[in-house]
């Protein structure tokens, strides 16, 4: 099996639209999004890059065009080298990239994570749900315009309440029980243990 | 003949089976976790079960998501070192080393041999510590409580060594970009050697309690089998991949930090079942001891940080307080961060749980533009729906125990 760098000329003749990507460590190429699947399949089947090491995306920032880049890192179990493939998403507003789950089942969770964090869709992915954030979360947090401190969101209280027969109570610091606010909340109602006010430290508990 | 064997009435048996098959059964949904003792943290398995058989298992993750990658984009390279402790919090030293090497690869920086040896010793000690925890927890999962008591005693000894080296027992934050936080203390390597000597007989005792144990074999042998092809296709790494017979170990295949100098073997499994994953971890600890002993035997002198990396590694404190130039340099590295050239780098290290990778994109300066953490637990867990389908509910506990994952790393 040839060293990863040696295969670049062969790839360039097979894929004329492929361009070399500046890289200090591993051989790296840029490929148009529509040809990414074919290139990755060639790399896997003919050049021994059987292991999908990593799959992620990079956001170039709100002003950049093309804004979103999807990056695959492949590892060859025979040549013991990496290969980096990058493809830009054509549309900056609604980025999409053909799914590579038919090539590697490993891409399943990676693509779900990219959808969750960057909002890039993967046509061809059978089950593109959020993976780290909860279903119904409205933002894509790794986009550059998303603030580090986060944005307040509605928790899916109503949906949970519809599914489970229990009443959903707000968390203590979100106005729920065990936290008394001045004047607003009746402590006796909020704190069950405070209901019996007939005795305390100063007044002894009456005999039963 | 009076002693003739009477054959069982097979027809009656088949009729009985058919009758039981007609019993009305109903699929049930069972949510295992997020706080269940066998899910080792906050993994939740949304399962559909038919009697005792799992029909479908869907892992629900993200309960421990802290947005580490977003945080990394908002702080300097050195400030992120403590966050790497909290990925695989059972082997923080190994995470520190992997992260430092990734940024150094982008900066084109090589650390001196002494620093490399310190990193190798600390990473291998972290591997032993992590495997001990994995082994003990696996034992508990399948009903062998005693193992945990033995392995935890050994981990405590390791923690004392970590504390002496780094100042912290659990979250060590020991490496810096371009070096380590401080040199090894006087006599520390002798104490590591002494630990290794007394550790091997205890390890043999622990493995002896499990390896030919009938109960343990019943719970693990042939359970949760992963084929070679599946293991590669799903991106499994570490002992979970080697348990399936794929000899991928980056310490051998792409040696970093001077691993090529050390003589050690890469154990692989045969069947790819829970038992093989256990056996691989047991043997790996012995190999780690071999590496540590060799590293100590030829422990190099010299610098323990890269002296030529003046814009990356902060100068020693005594020089900062006596020289104006060093004071300015120290101030710049602390406030602006280590100056890393623009570009991108992807580095993977062989961590206890599998291959931990960092993809660093820099636009120059002291803060990464993008830092992707390829965590082994995340990739390893993605095969769960495939191998849990068709298993018994009790086998799922064995499978989870044999996977030795950490949710801090999976959810990041």
């Amino acid at each position: 099996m040839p060293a990863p760098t040696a295969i670049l000329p062969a790839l360039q003749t097979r894929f004329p639209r492929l361009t070399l990507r500046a890289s200090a460590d591993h051989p790296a190429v840029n490929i148009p999004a529509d040809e990414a699947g074919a290139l990755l399949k060639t790399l896997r089947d003919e050049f021994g890059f059987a292991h999908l090491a990593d799959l992620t995306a990079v956001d170039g920032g709100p002003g950049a065009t093309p804004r979103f880049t999807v990056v695959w890192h492949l590892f060859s179990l025979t040549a013991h080298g990496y290969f980096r493939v990058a493809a830009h998403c054509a549309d900056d507003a609604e980025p999409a990239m053909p799914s590579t789950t038919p090539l590697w089942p490993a891409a399943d969770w990676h693509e779900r994570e990219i959808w969750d964090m960057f909002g890039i869709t993967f046509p061809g992915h059978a089950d593109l749900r959020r993976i780290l954030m909860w279903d119904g979360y409205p933002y894509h947090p790794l986009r550059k315009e998303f603030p580090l401190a986060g944005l307040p969101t509605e928790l899916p209280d109503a949906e949970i309440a519809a599914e489970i027969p229990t009443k959903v109570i707000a968390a203590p610091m979100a106005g729920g029980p065990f936290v008394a606010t001045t004047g607003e909340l009746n402590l006796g109602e909020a704190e069950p243990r405070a209901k019996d006010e007939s005795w305390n430290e100063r007044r002894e508990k009456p005999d039963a | 003949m009076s002693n003739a064997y009477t054959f069982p009435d097979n027809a009656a048996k088949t009729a009985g089976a058919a009758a039981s098959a007609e019993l009305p059964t109903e699929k049930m949904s069972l949510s295992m976790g997020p706080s269940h003792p066998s899910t080792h943290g906050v993994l939740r398995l949304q399962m559909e079960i038919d009697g005792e058989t799992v029909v479908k298992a869907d892992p629900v993750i993200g309960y421990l998501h802290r947005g580490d990658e977003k945080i990394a984009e908002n702080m300097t390279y050195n400030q992120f070192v403590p966050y790497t402790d909290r990925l695989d919090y059972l082997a923080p030293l190994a995470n520190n080393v992997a992260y430092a090497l990734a940024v150094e690869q982008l900066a084109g920086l090589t650390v001196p041999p002494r620093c490399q040896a310190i990193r190798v010793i600390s990473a291998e000690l972290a591997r032993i510590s992590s495997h001990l925890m994995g082994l003990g927890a696996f034992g508990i999962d399948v009903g062998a409580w005693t193992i945990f008591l033995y392995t935890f005693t050994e981990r405590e000894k390791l923690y004392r060594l970590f504390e002496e080296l780094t100042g912290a027992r659990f979250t060590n934050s020991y490496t810096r970009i371009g070096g380590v936080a401080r040199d090894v203390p006087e006599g520390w390597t002798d104490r590591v050697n002494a630990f290794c000597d007394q550790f091997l007989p205890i390890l043999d005792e622990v493995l002896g309690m499990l390896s030919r144990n009938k109960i343990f074999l019943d719970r693990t042998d042939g359970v949760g089998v992963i084929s070679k092809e599946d293991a590669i296709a799903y991106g499994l790494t570490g002992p979970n991949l080697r348990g399936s017979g794929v000899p991928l170990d980056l310490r051998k295949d792409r040696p970093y930090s001077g691993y090529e100098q050390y003589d050690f073997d890469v154990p692989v499994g045969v069947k790819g079942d829970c038992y093989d994953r256990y056996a691989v971890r047991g043997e790996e600890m012995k190999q780690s001891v071999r590496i540590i002993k060799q590293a100590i035997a030829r422990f190099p002198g010299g610098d323990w940080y890269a002296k030529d990396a003046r814009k990356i590694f902060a100068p020693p404190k005594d020089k900062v307080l006596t020289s104006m130039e060093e004071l300015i340099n120290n101030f710049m590295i602390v406030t602006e961060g280590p100056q890393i050239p623009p570009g991108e780098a992807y580095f993977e290290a062989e961590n206890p749980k599998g291959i931990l990778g960092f993809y660093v994109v820099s636009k120059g300066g002291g803060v990464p533009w993008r830092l992707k953490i390829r965590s082994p637990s995340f990739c390893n867990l993605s095969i769960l729906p495939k191998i849990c389908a068709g298993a018994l509910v009790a086998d799922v506990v064995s499978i989870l125990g044999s996977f030795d994952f950490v949710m801090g790393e999976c959810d990041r």
Side-chain angles (χ1 to χ4, degrees), chain B residues 131-148:
Chain B
H131 282 356
L132 282 174
M133 179 71 205
L135 194 60
F138 190 20
I140 289 186
D141 286 346
V142 296
W145 252 97
T146 324
I147 308 301
F148 193 76

Side-chain angles (χ1 to χ4, degrees), chain A residues 122-144:
Chain A
F122 288 88
H125 191 292
D127 185 24
L128 197 66
R129 288 174 289 145
R130 284 185 181 267
I131 188 163
L132 294 175
M133 309 305 280
W134 59 93
D135 295 336
Y137 183 74
Y139 305 109
H140 299 291
L142 273 179
R143 287 190 173 195
K144 286 285 176 185

Side-chain angles (χ1 to χ4, degrees), chain A residues 163-181:
Chain A
E163 220 170 279
I164 56 173
T166 326
K167 193 179 147 209
V168 177
I169 305 164
M173 296 311 285
F178 299 106
V179 175
T181 49

Side-chain angles (χ1 to χ4, degrees), chain B residues 87-368:
Chain B
L87 295 172
D88 174 3
Y89 41 74
L90 299 173
L93 280 167
N95 301 344
N96 294 163
V97 171
Y99 172 66
L101 284 164
V103 182
E104 283 159 16
Q105 177 165 313
L106 180 55
L109 190 67
T110 322
V111 293
R114 186 180 177 87
C115 178
Q116 289 189 339
I118 297 173
R119 285 177 175 186
V120 164
I121 295 171
S122 56
E124 292 306 319
L125 285 174
R127 188 183 314 276
I128 295 175
S129 157
S130 167
H131 282 356
L132 282 174
M133 179 71 205
L135 194 60
F138 190 20
I140 289 186
D141 286 346
V142 296
W145 252 97
T146 324
I147 308 301
F148 193 76
L149 306 176
Y150 278 77
T151 59
F152 232 65
T153 312
E154 293 310 298
R155 259 167 66 88
E156 174 60 31
K157 294 172 192 165
L158 279 170
Y159 273 171
R160 291 197 184 153
L161 291 171
F162 291 162
E163 187 178 21
E164 205 182 332
L165 177 69
T166 70
R169 285 161 56 86
F170 200 58
T171 45
N172 309 106
S173 307
Y174 182 53
T175 60
R176 299 291 177 270
I177 314 301
V180 288
R182 60 185 74 79
D183 199 4
V184 292
E186 187 82 34
W188 185 74
T189 48
D190 299 333
R191 287 187 281 281
V192 172
N193 240 340
F195 165 79
C196 290
D197 288 335
Q198 62 87 42
F199 171 65
L200 284 177
I202 294 171
L203 179 62
D204 282 335
E205 198 177 337
V206 170
L207 297 180
M209 279 190 270
L210 288 175
S211 291
R212 293 287 173 269
N213 183 324
K214 176 85 174 90
I215 304 170
F216 185 70
L217 279 167
D218 283 349
R219 293 294 303 271
T220 57
D221 188 29
V223 172
V225 177
I226 305 173
S227 70
K228 251 187 196 182
E229 293 73 25
D230 278 347
I232 295 170
Y234 276 87
L236 262 59
T237 47
N240 297 335
L241 177 68
R242 292 192 285 274
S244 294
V246 184
L248 167 64
D249 188 325
L250 290 179
R251 294 175 295 169
K252 278 272 189 227
D253 295 343
R254 277 184 78 85
Y256 54 92
S257 215
Y259 268 113
E260 66 276 4
Q261 314 160 37
Y262 308 116
D263 186 24
F264 65 100
D265 298 322
V266 177
V268 291
V270 183
K271 283 157 78 176
D273 56 1
C274 293
Y275 185 83
D276 279 0
R277 293 191 277 277
Y278 146 80
V280 164
R281 286 200 185 86
E283 182 57 32
E284 270 186 15
M285 283 190 264
K286 295 181 189 168
Q287 299 300 329
S288 290
V289 168
R290 268 178 85 187
I291 298 173
I292 293 167
K293 292 207 132 213
Q294 291 171 58
I296 289 176
R298 58 178 93 145
F299 197 56
D303 296 325
W304 45 272
Y305 62 93
K307 277 210 164 137
D308 49 339
R310 291 191 51 81
K311 282 186 183 291
I312 291 174
F313 192 88
K317 212 65 177 176
D318 56 333
K319 288 194 180 148
V320 171
L321 298 175
T322 49
S323 143
M324 193 60 191
E325 198 191 331
E326 301 283 12
L327 177 66
I328 295 168
N329 193 11
N330 183 65
F331 180 80
M332 291 310 286
I333 288 172
V334 171
T335 53
E336 304 279 314
Q339 298 301 301
I340 305 297
E344 54 185 12
Y346 182 67
F347 177 81
E348 286 184 336
E350 190 67 45
N351 260 35
K353 303 282 185 297
I355 288 175
L356 175 68
F358 287 96
Y359 174 51
V360 194
V361 180
S362 164
K363 293 202 167 183
V367 178

Side-chain angles (χ1 to χ4, degrees), chain A residues 21-26 28 50-61 71 73 75-77 79-82 84 86 103-110 112-113 117-118 127 129 131-133 141-148, chain B residues 43 58-63 65 67 69-71 73-74 105-106 231-237 241 246 248 250 253-254 344-349 355 359 361 363 368-370 372-374 377-379 381-383 385 410-412:
Chain A
R21 184 177 170 88
S23 163
D25 48 359
H26 311 300
H51 200 264
L52 176 68
D54 186 34
L55 168 51
T56 187
V58 180
D59 178 7
V71 182
H73 283 99
F75 184 71
S76 166
L77 297 167
H80 306 309
Y82 295 94
R84 181 181 299 137
L103 294 175
W104 289 281
D108 181 358
W109 280 25
H110 287 302
R112 280 176 65 188
E113 188 189 329
M117 292 290 138
F118 290 93
D127 185 24
R129 288 174 289 145
I131 188 163
L132 294 175
M133 309 305 280
L142 273 179
R143 287 190 173 195
K144 286 285 176 185
E145 72 267 19
F146 186 83
L148 178 64
Chain B
L43 172 69
D58 185 23
V60 182
I61 64 168
Y63 289 95
H65 179 58
E69 293 173 12
K70 186 79 180 174
I71 291 169
E73 290 172 8
N74 290 279
Q105 177 165 313
L106 180 55
I232 295 170
Y234 276 87
L236 262 59
T237 47
L241 177 68
V246 184
L248 167 64
L250 290 179
D253 295 343
R254 277 184 78 85
E344 54 185 12
Y346 182 67
F347 177 81
E348 286 184 336
I355 288 175
Y359 174 51
V361 180
K363 293 202 167 183
W369 177 259
R370 166 98 174 98
K372 153 83 190 192
I373 304 159
R374 182 255 189 239
S377 296
F378 181 83
C379 298
L381 284 181
S382 69
I383 202 175
C410 178
D411 293 346
R412 286 154 289 151

